[in-house]
Amino acid sequence: MLRVGASRLARAAAARSAGSRLHLRFKTTDTSGALGIKEALGAKIPAAIADVKAVREAYGDEQLGTCTVTQAYGGMRSVKAMTYETSLLDAEEGIRFRGLTLPECQAQLPRAAGGAEPLPEGIFWLLLTGDVPTDAQVHALREEFASRSTLPAEAVAVIDALPTDMHPMTQLNAGVLALQPQSAMAAAYAKGVHKSTYWEYCLDDALTLLAQLPEVAARIYRRSFHDGSMTPSAAGELDMGANYARMMGFEDPKFDELMRLYLTIHADHEGGNVSAHAVRLVGSALSDPFLSFSGGLAGLAGPLHGLANQEVLRWLMEMKESLGTTKMTKEALTGLVWDVLNAGKVVPGFGHAVLRKTDPRYTCQREFALKHMPDDEMFRMVSMLYEVVPAVLTEQGKVKNPYPNVDAHSGVLLRHYGLTEARYYTVMFGVSRAIGTLASLVWDRALGLPIERPKSVTTGWIKAHFEGKK
């Protein structure tokens, strides 16, 4: 790695000193003296900047990939045209978080006492710093979140004024925007701080947003589907997953475990998906993390992205209704799946834009179900569809990946524990996706990535360009 010049480091140090006078709200260490999350990240940034500089100098003129006309019209599918540090999606093995597979994350990240699933605070630390945190570091981060978790009264008033029949994702986006006046980054930019310190204020906002988002989401759930009463937040006493569950009104320790798993596996999925890319795109204009994440939520609310888990459960319930008194067998389900395809519809929850095998996130959920709810009727249907649908789609021959994705399973797990309101499911996806997209956004500012501005052309330009070569 290249060294960062002394003068540059001096300027950055001076800027950081000036920035400290803006009273950033960080606890620097835990009681054991271990590095806090800001210091752990700050120690890595100079080397990462040098690494990016070295890569750009060595390979800057190399072509990452060729964009065809088909790709330009087809949503830029698979065009290698961006970097994203926190996760990487492989077509064969699925997602890796900072190089770790999901099973490796489950094995290596800190867990709750007596639990088997990773703590959400741990996955944020991993994605942000690239290191597996210690138990002490996760505890310190939980305390950091707790110190920031109280919702501003003005934001509560905004959320409580929203119509309860408004889609929960619209409410969540409104709630996030209502939190924005707290933005340290917006205030720092207005004061003219040096750009080398933007990441510090971006991290400040990310921690505040992550600390407050579960309560915003839980408040929306209680208002929309119950009487509005809510268990007070126990941030600091409970981990993010368990506290979120408790605020929604769930007390089963197994549901706590499900929340930890859910928040972990949905946290990140490299940078090209709509929600992650929207956060980066908006953030590239130096919009603060609250505004940037709002853009990501708007994309996540689409039926081709995060709303898909809601669609899958609706379809499964329709399948169950279609069976009626008919015994659930592979033959009966095969006929129903062919009915869906012959009607010109798609089978929700199967296939993926990148993956060419079963989504490891599906597998994690399946293993959870086999352990905790093997006799659940809807789980039995999902399991049988796992045997049926890939064979049908392969026979049809129109899809590259006939295997289930993450959305094929999550609704059934949530429904088993009593969270039956499918309109709410994408809100939980949003709480999880904040973990990865905000970690990545901090790195965007640390590396000084510029505003995104790809070149577009018209259909007429394409015709003239290629016809001129004939």
PDB file of all heavy atoms in Angstrom, residues 412-429:
ATOM      1  N   VAL A 412     -43.189 -16.763   5.916  1.00  0.00           N
ATOM      2  CA  VAL A 412     -43.689 -17.937   6.627  1.00  0.00           C
ATOM      3  C   VAL A 412     -43.137 -17.975   8.048  1.00  0.00           C
ATOM      4  O   VAL A 412     -43.848 -18.316   9.004  1.00  0.00           O
ATOM      5  CB  VAL A 412     -43.322 -19.218   5.854  1.00  0.00           C
ATOM      6  CG1 VAL A 412     -43.548 -20.457   6.706  1.00  0.00           C
ATOM      7  CG2 VAL A 412     -44.134 -19.306   4.573  1.00  0.00           C
ATOM      8  N   LEU A 413     -41.876 -17.609   8.218  1.00  0.00           N
ATOM      9  CA  LEU A 413     -41.281 -17.570   9.556  1.00  0.00           C
ATOM     10  C   LEU A 413     -41.972 -16.526  10.426  1.00  0.00           C
ATOM     11  O   LEU A 413     -42.315 -16.784  11.587  1.00  0.00           O
ATOM     12  CB  LEU A 413     -39.786 -17.260   9.463  1.00  0.00           C
ATOM     13  CG  LEU A 413     -38.905 -18.279   8.741  1.00  0.00           C
ATOM     14  CD1 LEU A 413     -37.473 -17.776   8.691  1.00  0.00           C
ATOM     15  CD2 LEU A 413     -38.953 -19.629   9.423  1.00  0.00           C
ATOM     16  N   LEU A 414     -42.162 -15.347   9.879  1.00  0.00           N
ATOM     17  CA  LEU A 414     -42.780 -14.265  10.646  1.00  0.00           C
ATOM     18  C   LEU A 414     -44.219 -14.619  11.019  1.00  0.00           C
ATOM     19  O   LEU A 414     -44.670 -14.369  12.143  1.00  0.00           O
ATOM     20  CB  LEU A 414     -42.732 -12.965   9.835  1.00  0.00           C
ATOM     21  CG  LEU A 414     -41.333 -12.438   9.534  1.00  0.00           C
ATOM     22  CD1 LEU A 414     -41.392 -11.310   8.511  1.00  0.00           C
ATOM     23  CD2 LEU A 414     -40.641 -11.962  10.801  1.00  0.00           C
ATOM     24  N   ARG A 415     -44.933 -15.196  10.069  1.00  0.00           N
ATOM     25  CA  ARG A 415     -46.327 -15.568  10.307  1.00  0.00           C
ATOM     26  C   ARG A 415     -46.442 -16.611  11.418  1.00  0.00           C
ATOM     27  O   ARG A 415     -47.378 -16.569  12.218  1.00  0.00           O
ATOM     28  CB  ARG A 415     -46.938 -16.089   8.999  1.00  0.00           C
ATOM     29  CG  ARG A 415     -48.415 -16.429   9.080  1.00  0.00           C
ATOM     30  CD  ARG A 415     -48.922 -16.879   7.715  1.00  0.00           C
ATOM     31  NE  ARG A 415     -50.348 -17.192   7.763  1.00  0.00           N
ATOM     32  CZ  ARG A 415     -50.849 -18.366   8.127  1.00  0.00           C
ATOM     33  NH1 ARG A 415     -50.030 -19.349   8.463  1.00  0.00           N
ATOM     34  NH2 ARG A 415     -52.156 -18.565   8.145  1.00  0.00           N
ATOM     35  N   HIS A 416     -45.496 -17.525  11.470  1.00  0.00           N
ATOM     36  CA  HIS A 416     -45.530 -18.583  12.480  1.00  0.00           C
ATOM     37  C   HIS A 416     -45.548 -17.999  13.895  1.00  0.00           C
ATOM     38  O   HIS A 416     -46.203 -18.545  14.793  1.00  0.00           O
ATOM     39  CB  HIS A 416     -44.320 -19.500  12.321  1.00  0.00           C
ATOM     40  CG  HIS A 416     -44.195 -20.536  13.388  1.00  0.00           C
ATOM     41  ND1 HIS A 416     -44.904 -21.715  13.370  1.00  0.00           N
ATOM     42  CD2 HIS A 416     -43.437 -20.570  14.537  1.00  0.00           C
ATOM     43  CE1 HIS A 416     -44.598 -22.440  14.433  1.00  0.00           C
ATOM     44  NE2 HIS A 416     -43.718 -21.766  15.168  1.00  0.00           N
ATOM     45  N   TYR A 417     -44.825 -16.908  14.097  1.00  0.00           N
ATOM     46  CA  TYR A 417     -44.731 -16.313  15.435  1.00  0.00           C
ATOM     47  C   TYR A 417     -45.772 -15.230  15.679  1.00  0.00           C
ATOM     48  O   TYR A 417     -45.717 -14.530  16.690  1.00  0.00           O
ATOM     49  CB  TYR A 417     -43.324 -15.761  15.658  1.00  0.00           C
ATOM     50  CG  TYR A 417     -42.310 -16.875  15.816  1.00  0.00           C
ATOM     51  CD1 TYR A 417     -41.487 -17.246  14.752  1.00  0.00           C
ATOM     52  CD2 TYR A 417     -42.204 -17.575  17.013  1.00  0.00           C
ATOM     53  CE1 TYR A 417     -40.570 -18.277  14.891  1.00  0.00           C
ATOM     54  CE2 TYR A 417     -41.290 -18.612  17.154  1.00  0.00           C
ATOM     55  CZ  TYR A 417     -40.476 -18.956  16.089  1.00  0.00           C
ATOM     56  OH  TYR A 417     -39.589 -19.991  16.238  1.00  0.00           O
ATOM     57  N   GLY A 418     -46.707 -15.092  14.751  1.00  0.00           N
ATOM     58  CA  GLY A 418     -47.816 -14.180  14.979  1.00  0.00           C
ATOM     59  C   GLY A 418     -47.717 -12.847  14.278  1.00  0.00           C
ATOM     60  O   GLY A 418     -48.628 -12.020  14.399  1.00  0.00           O
ATOM     61  N   LEU A 419     -46.638 -12.597  13.554  1.00  0.00           N
ATOM     62  CA  LEU A 419     -46.532 -11.356  12.799  1.00  0.00           C
ATOM     63  C   LEU A 419     -47.135 -11.632  11.420  1.00  0.00           C
ATOM     64  O   LEU A 419     -46.441 -11.968  10.463  1.00  0.00           O
ATOM     65  CB  LEU A 419     -45.078 -10.895  12.678  1.00  0.00           C
ATOM     66  CG  LEU A 419     -44.865  -9.389  12.555  1.00  0.00           C
ATOM     67  CD1 LEU A 419     -43.395  -9.030  12.747  1.00  0.00           C
ATOM     68  CD2 LEU A 419     -45.358  -8.844  11.233  1.00  0.00           C
ATOM     69  N   THR A 420     -48.437 -11.509  11.332  1.00  0.00           N
ATOM     70  CA  THR A 420     -49.185 -11.920  10.141  1.00  0.00           C
ATOM     71  C   THR A 420     -49.445 -10.786   9.161  1.00  0.00           C
ATOM     72  O   THR A 420     -49.961 -11.026   8.070  1.00  0.00           O
ATOM     73  CB  THR A 420     -50.540 -12.518  10.563  1.00  0.00           C
ATOM     74  OG1 THR A 420     -51.279 -11.522  11.296  1.00  0.00           O
ATOM     75  CG2 THR A 420     -50.344 -13.740  11.448  1.00  0.00           C
ATOM     76  N   GLU A 421     -49.106  -9.563   9.537  1.00  0.00           N
ATOM     77  CA  GLU A 421     -49.419  -8.396   8.698  1.00  0.00           C
ATOM     78  C   GLU A 421     -48.372  -8.233   7.600  1.00  0.00           C
ATOM     79  O   GLU A 421     -47.342  -7.562   7.787  1.00  0.00           O
ATOM     80  CB  GLU A 421     -49.495  -7.141   9.572  1.00  0.00           C
ATOM     81  CG  GLU A 421     -50.559  -7.213  10.664  1.00  0.00           C
ATOM     82  CD  GLU A 421     -50.065  -7.861  11.955  1.00  0.00           C
ATOM     83  OE1 GLU A 421     -48.887  -8.285  11.991  1.00  0.00           O
ATOM     84  OE2 GLU A 421     -50.844  -7.929  12.925  1.00  0.00           O
ATOM     85  N   ALA A 422     -48.636  -8.853   6.453  1.00  0.00           N
ATOM     86  CA  ALA A 422     -47.640  -8.905   5.372  1.00  0.00           C
ATOM     87  C   ALA A 422     -47.288  -7.519   4.843  1.00  0.00           C
ATOM     88  O   ALA A 422     -46.178  -7.317   4.335  1.00  0.00           O
ATOM     89  CB  ALA A 422     -48.153  -9.781   4.228  1.00  0.00           C
ATOM     90  N   ARG A 423     -48.215  -6.551   4.939  1.00  0.00           N
ATOM     91  CA  ARG A 423     -47.914  -5.197   4.478  1.00  0.00           C
ATOM     92  C   ARG A 423     -46.749  -4.572   5.250  1.00  0.00           C
ATOM     93  O   ARG A 423     -46.126  -3.631   4.778  1.00  0.00           O
ATOM     94  CB  ARG A 423     -49.151  -4.306   4.631  1.00  0.00           C
ATOM     95  CG  ARG A 423     -50.154  -4.415   3.494  1.00  0.00           C
ATOM     96  CD  ARG A 423     -51.492  -3.817   3.879  1.00  0.00           C
ATOM     97  NE  ARG A 423     -51.408  -2.464   4.412  1.00  0.00           N
ATOM     98  CZ  ARG A 423     -51.420  -1.349   3.684  1.00  0.00           C
ATOM     99  NH1 ARG A 423     -51.491  -1.435   2.363  1.00  0.00           N
ATOM    100  NH2 ARG A 423     -51.378  -0.162   4.256  1.00  0.00           N
ATOM    101  N   TYR A 424     -46.454  -5.145   6.401  1.00  0.00           N
ATOM    102  CA  TYR A 424     -45.396  -4.580   7.242  1.00  0.00           C
ATOM    103  C   TYR A 424     -44.017  -5.188   6.959  1.00  0.00           C
ATOM    104  O   TYR A 424     -43.002  -4.627   7.354  1.00  0.00           O
ATOM    105  CB  TYR A 424     -45.748  -4.802   8.719  1.00  0.00           C
ATOM    106  CG  TYR A 424     -44.756  -4.205   9.687  1.00  0.00           C
ATOM    107  CD1 TYR A 424     -44.747  -2.838   9.951  1.00  0.00           C
ATOM    108  CD2 TYR A 424     -43.816  -5.008  10.341  1.00  0.00           C
ATOM    109  CE1 TYR A 424     -43.836  -2.289  10.842  1.00  0.00           C
ATOM    110  CE2 TYR A 424     -42.904  -4.466  11.233  1.00  0.00           C
ATOM    111  CZ  TYR A 424     -42.920  -3.100  11.473  1.00  0.00           C
ATOM    112  OH  TYR A 424     -42.012  -2.548  12.352  1.00  0.00           O
ATOM    113  N   TYR A 425     -43.974  -6.315   6.280  1.00  0.00           N
ATOM    114  CA  TYR A 425     -42.720  -7.067   6.181  1.00  0.00           C
ATOM    115  C   TYR A 425     -41.566  -6.251   5.595  1.00  0.00           C
ATOM    116  O   TYR A 425     -40.412  -6.387   6.022  1.00  0.00           O
ATOM    117  CB  TYR A 425     -42.920  -8.336   5.350  1.00  0.00           C
ATOM    118  CG  TYR A 425     -43.768  -9.393   6.017  1.00  0.00           C
ATOM    119  CD1 TYR A 425     -44.171 -10.531   5.333  1.00  0.00           C
ATOM    120  CD2 TYR A 425     -44.188  -9.255   7.343  1.00  0.00           C
ATOM    121  CE1 TYR A 425     -44.945 -11.502   5.936  1.00  0.00           C
ATOM    122  CE2 TYR A 425     -44.971 -10.219   7.947  1.00  0.00           C
ATOM    123  CZ  TYR A 425     -45.348 -11.336   7.248  1.00  0.00           C
ATOM    124  OH  TYR A 425     -46.124 -12.304   7.856  1.00  0.00           O
ATOM    125  N   THR A 426     -41.840  -5.428   4.607  1.00  0.00           N
ATOM    126  CA  THR A 426     -40.763  -4.677   3.970  1.00  0.00           C
ATOM    127  C   THR A 426     -40.173  -3.632   4.909  1.00  0.00           C
ATOM    128  O   THR A 426     -39.016  -3.234   4.756  1.00  0.00           O
ATOM    129  CB  THR A 426     -41.253  -4.022   2.671  1.00  0.00           C
ATOM    130  OG1 THR A 426     -41.934  -5.002   1.889  1.00  0.00           O
ATOM    131  CG2 THR A 426     -40.097  -3.486   1.850  1.00  0.00           C
ATOM    132  N   VAL A 427     -40.952  -3.181   5.899  1.00  0.00           N
ATOM    133  CA  VAL A 427     -40.410  -2.270   6.906  1.00  0.00           C
ATOM    134  C   VAL A 427     -39.266  -2.940   7.653  1.00  0.00           C
ATOM    135  O   VAL A 427     -38.201  -2.341   7.896  1.00  0.00           O
ATOM    136  CB  VAL A 427     -41.512  -1.822   7.884  1.00  0.00           C
ATOM    137  CG1 VAL A 427     -40.912  -1.069   9.073  1.00  0.00           C
ATOM    138  CG2 VAL A 427     -42.527  -0.943   7.173  1.00  0.00           C
ATOM    139  N   MET A 428     -39.448  -4.199   7.992  1.00  0.00           N
ATOM    140  CA  MET A 428     -38.392  -4.936   8.692  1.00  0.00           C
ATOM    141  C   MET A 428     -37.167  -5.096   7.788  1.00  0.00           C
ATOM    142  O   MET A 428     -36.029  -5.007   8.246  1.00  0.00           O
ATOM    143  CB  MET A 428     -38.926  -6.294   9.122  1.00  0.00           C
ATOM    144  CG  MET A 428     -40.183  -6.191   9.964  1.00  0.00           C
ATOM    145  SD  MET A 428     -40.946  -7.780  10.284  1.00  0.00           S
ATOM    146  CE  MET A 428     -39.825  -8.403  11.495  1.00  0.00           C
ATOM    147  N   PHE A 429     -37.409  -5.315   6.514  1.00  0.00           N
ATOM    148  CA  PHE A 429     -36.327  -5.366   5.527  1.00  0.00           C
ATOM    149  C   PHE A 429     -35.576  -4.034   5.541  1.00  0.00           C
ATOM    150  O   PHE A 429     -34.341  -3.982   5.515  1.00  0.00           O
ATOM    151  CB  PHE A 429     -36.932  -5.644   4.149  1.00  0.00           C
ATOM    152  CG  PHE A 429     -35.966  -6.124   3.096  1.00  0.00           C
ATOM    153  CD1 PHE A 429     -36.436  -6.825   1.992  1.00  0.00           C
ATOM    154  CD2 PHE A 429     -34.604  -5.872   3.168  1.00  0.00           C
ATOM    155  CE1 PHE A 429     -35.583  -7.272   0.996  1.00  0.00           C
ATOM    156  CE2 PHE A 429     -33.734  -6.309   2.176  1.00  0.00           C
ATOM    157  CZ  PHE A 429     -34.239  -7.011   1.090  1.00  0.00           C
TER     158      PHE A 429
END
